[in-house]
Amino acid sequence: MGLPFAQHAHRRLRPCEKQGGVSIHPTAILQRREMIHLGRRAQVGEYAIIRAHDRQVEIGAFSQVGPFTVILGGMGVTIGDNVMIAPHVVIAAGNHDYVQTEKPMRFAGNLSKGPIVIENNVWIGANVTITDGVRIGRDAVIGANSVVTRDVKPFDVVGGVAARVLFNRRQLQLQRTG
């Protein structure tokens, strides 16, 4: 009798791709790989899905994409250096044209506010959703289970549905040392 399916499937997996210090787990899916740029020593975790569309998806040096994360690159996604993205995050750069009513939304085209930009040294907690056109400033923290629907300023810590500012890291540091 053969191996159970899970064990058998695991044996067929290739080791992590490591080219130029980049690490892509063998279960990760990168669609339109030529449109996806990974910086030096970037990591893409287990079962992550990165789909580029018409615009590039760029992930900076030393950044980590956690397991089961989905990046839908529709109108473009730029992720800076040293960004930590926890498991089960959804980054969706694009939106269906839900305003029109003549066609089913699936065929109605795209409404977009522009690309998603995540600046350097950002920490994104587990199960976060980042919506179309959002910019997250450098050194920001996005709390677990948050939905980010508008821009986040540098050093802000945000959380909730929809995410709101909880405090600013720089201001807190000044209060502690001041």
Side-chain angles (χ1 to χ4, degrees):
M1 187 162 170
L3 292 172
F5 176 76
Q7 289 177 343
H8 182 68
H10 180 70
R11 287 180 177 234
R12 291 185 293 171
L13 294 178
R14 65 194 188 282
C16 285
E17 292 180 33
K18 289 188 180 178
Q19 297 174 336
V22 170
S23 176
I24 303 170
H25 193 274
T27 59
I29 298 171
L30 281 66
Q31 292 182 342
R32 297 205 58 203
R33 180 67 175 92
E34 71 279 5
M35 298 286 289
I36 300 169
H37 300 280
L38 301 173
R40 190 168 147 256
R41 299 197 52 195
Q43 298 175 345
V44 179
E46 301 90 323
Y47 300 99
I49 298 172
I50 303 173
R51 290 185 180 158
H53 195 261
D54 294 333
R55 307 269 169 84
Q56 294 184 354
V57 173
E58 298 180 24
I59 299 173
F62 301 96
S63 290
Q64 303 169 328
V65 176
F68 300 98
T69 289
V70 177
I71 300 173
L72 304 173
M75 296 308 293
V77 174
T78 300
I79 298 170
D81 297 338
N82 301 302
V83 173
M84 298 182 296
I85 302 174
H88 298 277
V89 170
V90 175
I91 300 171
N95 207 346
H96 297 283
D97 184 355
Y98 57 87
V99 176
Q100 68 77 41
T101 57
E102 295 80 39
K103 301 179 199 172
M105 279 186 269
R106 183 169 190 259
F107 302 109
N110 196 351
L111 277 181
S112 179
K113 299 175 186 173
I116 293 174
V117 176
I118 301 169
E119 296 180 3
N120 295 340
N121 196 37
V122 170
W123 177 17
I124 301 170
N127 302 305
V128 166
T129 297
I130 300 171
T131 61
D132 182 48
V134 166
R135 174 180 285 272
I136 299 175
R138 66 182 291 254
D139 294 283
V141 177
I142 313 299
N145 300 305
S146 297
V147 177
V148 183
T149 60
R150 56 183 175 235
D151 292 353
V152 175
K153 293 179 184 172
F155 296 95
D156 275 354
V157 176
V158 302
V161 179
R164 62 181 176 78
V165 177
L166 303 174
F167 60 91
N168 182 282
R169 294 175 61 213
R170 171 98 6 116
Q171 290 174 355
L172 186 63
Q173 182 182 29
L174 289 172
Q175 288 173 357
R176 287 182 178 173
T177 60

